[in-house]
Amino acid sequence: MSSSPSDWEVVIGLEVHVQLHTRAKVFASSPWGFGKEPNEQVDSVVLGLPGTLPVVNREAVEKSILFGLVVGSSVPEQCAWDRKNYFYPDNPKNYQLTQKDFPIVVGGQVEIELPGISRNVMGEHKFVRIHHAHLEEDVGKLSHAGSGSLVDYNRAGVPLLEIVTEPDLRSAAEAEAFLRSLVALLTQAGVADCDMEKGQLRCDCNVSIRRRGAEKLGTRTETKNLNSISSVRDTVIYETARQIRELEAGRTITQETRGWNAELSRGYVLRDKEDAHDYRYFPDPDIPTLRISRETVARLQKLVPESLYDRQRRYVEKLGLPFTAASVLVNDRELAEWFELAVAAHPANPQGIANWVTNDLLRDLAASGAAGALLTDAVPPAVSLASCPIKPAQLAGLVKLTDEGVISKQQAKEVFTEMFKTGQEAVAIVDAKGLRQNSDTGELEKIVQAVIADPAVAKSIAEYRAGNEKAINALKGPIMKRTQGKANPVLIDQLLRKFLG
Amino acid sequence: MADLLHTLSAAELGRRLSAGLLTSRTLCEALIARYHLLNKKVGAFTHLDERDVLTQADASDARRKAGQGRGPLEGIPVAIKDNIAVKGQPLTCSSQMLASLVSPYDAHVTERLRAAGAILYGRLNMDEFAMGSSTENSAIQKTFNPWDLACIPGGSSGGSAAALAAGLVPLALGSDTGGSIRQPASHCGIVGLKPTYGLISRFGLVAFASSLDQIGPMARCIEDCELLLSALASADARDMTCFAVADRALTPAGDAKKLRIGIPKGFLGKGVGAEVATAVTAAIDFYRSQGCAISEVELPSADLAVPTYYVVATAEASSNLGRYDGVRYGHRSASAGTPVEMMTNSRSEGFGAEVKRRILLGTFVLSAGYADAYYMRALRARSKIRAEYLAALATVDVLLTPTVPTPAFKVGEKASDPLQLYLEDIFTIPANLAGLPAISVPCGKSGHLPVGFHLVGAPLSEAKLLAAGRLFESAHGFAHQQAAL
Amino acid sequence: MAEGFDIDHLAKLARLNLTAAEKVLYSSQLTQILGHFQALAKADLPETIDLARVVSESALRSDEPGPVLGAEAVTRIAPASRDGQISVPRVVDDEA
Ligand SMILES: [Mg+2]
Ligand SMILES: [Zn+2]
């Protein structure tokens, strides 16, 4: 008799490696960046030449602390580095400098949002605890060429922050939501770029299952080096199914290290516990214990941006935005700040501004190639507003003109299109195009009366008077024609009803 | 005059150079001639680029002529142990592993010497990767004690000490992890100082045990030792363990006759030879006669020093030497089908027996299941030893013992007994464990072999050690001694 | 204290090949040395390790990119290289 999958609960913990946003490497002054020729970003320290010594990069330390502050962790008074010893050709010193006993960040939590039942309904929120985060160095890259392999050390020594969660995640969807939230926090605070295409975010994923309601954790497996959110999601789904299958077939789960083949969507065993490495950790004697001053922590605290979901709550609760618009805006800090600048310039209608931003602005930015990422739902949603031809106050001006009835909604679309092309002020475009609505009651009254008198519309007037509301619309066309489309439609409607009344 | 130049101190050579009585070229030519005469016998140098030396000498003479001399070391040759990087010169650490390596960069001390106008004069033999006390572990050649060519010069800076004692060079750099400057200094009758940990940048010193290693000056008299020390000590942002400010170490100490000297209780019981004991006791008596306060000091954990040292040092070494795997530089085995085989074969072919022994030992003390019993306990013992030394040095200025229990032994005599060799370092090791400055000063002979005494001081008390050494030296005839070869 | 001492395992961890004679020699020497270390096992030691050196943030390096060696120099000192990269025997998938 087999049980259903819902009898099992999956328990997931993640170790997320992110490359920190720095110019130089973490223990050496060599620069780093994507797309350089092999071994062009290597100095004698990175190469581990005899006699060279590591010196910790201040920016990497501060970015790590900033991350800690973003997730509300405590920043310890002291942190220290250890050596993790293992031989591998991509590891220049054959030890990795990492932090084992005294990491730079301890504790903290990340708020996540699960998908709602539809796109316009907010899903459940929960908190995922961070166990700690430690600052370490990346290794080089191996590629295979014929009968041999080639080593490029450009990536060696790039600062990595390894963020280790508590086993708080309970589904592939939660793991995915966690990573999306984490990426938003990291990118919004400027800690990391998290560009997965460039390998700037890599995960190790620990998965175990247990009977629902059971307290004891099952034996876990660790799948290493997942380089996209979708691979993490797929790995969780795959591992969960595999482990349930194993247990239900009466077998046991072995504690093992696994790999993931994204092309085949299949996991495989890298090594079992017997082959586990003996890393012979010990405190690195070249880097003294580092004391972190409270002044630094206080200074960095000021750089912590409002969190993703705090912002979302504020937009919904204080600005009255629908969830759909709020959730789009908060994904990107630059976009949200752009939006808020526009709101500051015209505080009366945040929702109107949000509509323009989330629909027209993003659409046109995407079309112009600046915000493709955002609309394709990729992470991070890298909108470049730097090149956006419309400034926040200009959009606010457009919304204001519409709100005041100076231009119609239809005209506003035309103004927006022009604004995106030329970057001109809304008022200037309206004037240049002569788009200003005609709201001169006296002039319009004359035109309305003239049209009513035209025998061509007599039939429509009769129908209207007979109770066909819609028949009145047949009179609006000729009026618009006589005003070159500038008549305020609201006013025309009022006047027609008055005269036909 | 040229035939006597090798007997002069660096300070005296400097005075003659400044006075225009001597050129750096003349000096270097004289030393090169002596090198040709004696180096084969002594085996101190593993490499000397004569043309490069003379080019440097000419440049120095030109600077001096132009009134752009750089100070007291201008034009003075300084020989360098082969584990300290000099750009464009070999950096072999006397190992097959690095036999072909030419350093692409300068160590911090090398930069300091260049800035001081010194001549970077050749590479000195050593125990492979500084592991040893006799220089017998060099994979390149043997070095012999100039006072008795049948004996070892000590180690691991044996080439440095022998070069000085043979008059091959006036100044030399050594490195000291557990006594590697002081022990050969004692065996060769010269002065060797291991500075406070952090006084001199380790950037460019090939690591043996990073928390213990220090570069230090070696010379034939206190004045020269001080001269070289002042040139080397300076802040260096490339070594996080290097002090930002360390002027205190070089600020002249007060009257050496007022020093309080502590004698560790029972040191003579530690296998100290009779003639060594006699010479060191005479030194103690001398200081007493000068008015120094002599008292006995308790160091209860002294017996833990050797095991603690060998656990810490080998653990760090096993990791530091991990980088020698044949991938990026150095020896690569010709036979290898897989990366693991390539690394394993390269290391097995490239390292000598003592290095392998220490790597195995260090790997063991860090390995799963044993790290707590060995490595972690050693760190705790190290804390205790350090605390005891600091407490003792709060009541006295310096601690005095022999540098080595016995004089230099015959080549090959202890080669098969590593533990016996490890005990050579019993008096010198605690200064490394506690990060304290220490000096070996020649104080007599055991037969025809030199003997030195050893002073340890509080952190950054180098000036006191030098003052104490000068007081002794000025009243005795051991300075500038050279073996008759 | 030296029980469980496994020379083959150690040699593998340290990436060293040992001949049969070397195994015998090193085993006996290491056993002797570790025996001498018994003093450590018996000693009364403090629980805490004093951190001899603690530095402040002033010891950190600023995030200024410095010079690099260049691929030419890297490959020049490498025992074997191809197209600016260091070549090694083929690595099989065992990510550490
Ligand atoms: Mg990990
Ligand atoms: Zn990691």
Side-chain angles (χ1 to χ4, degrees), chain B residues 235-253:
Chain B
D236 180 16
R238 294 168 299 185
D239 176 1
M240 290 188 82
T241 64
C242 184
F243 291 111
V245 186
D247 301 347
R248 186 151 58 93
L250 301 168
T251 308

Side-chain angles (χ1 to χ4, degrees), chain A residues 183-257:
Chain A
V183 165
L185 294 175
L186 287 163
T187 52
Q188 297 197 8
V191 168
D193 296 337
C194 300
D195 190 334
M196 274 165 270
E197 306 266 286
K198 296 178 185 167
Q200 293 181 346
L201 184 140
R202 276 122 55 201
C203 285
D204 301 341
C205 181
N206 295 288
V207 176
S208 67
I209 59 164
R210 61 182 168 189
R211 288 277 174 192
R212 206 164 283 284
E215 242 174 68
K216 201 167 162 279
L217 289 170
T219 303
R220 70 186 166 93
T221 62
E222 181 179 25
T223 304
K224 289 225 161 245
N225 230 356
L226 301 163
N227 53 19
S228 70
I229 293 180
S230 55
S231 319
V232 172
R233 181 194 59 215
D234 295 348
T235 294
V236 170
I237 293 168
Y238 176 92
E239 252 321 88
T240 308
R242 187 188 68 85
Q243 292 188 16
I244 290 175
R245 213 166 48 236
E246 289 298 301
L247 291 182
E248 294 199 335
R251 293 188 286 267
T252 53
I253 305 297
T254 30
Q255 189 181 330
E256 63 198 5
T257 303

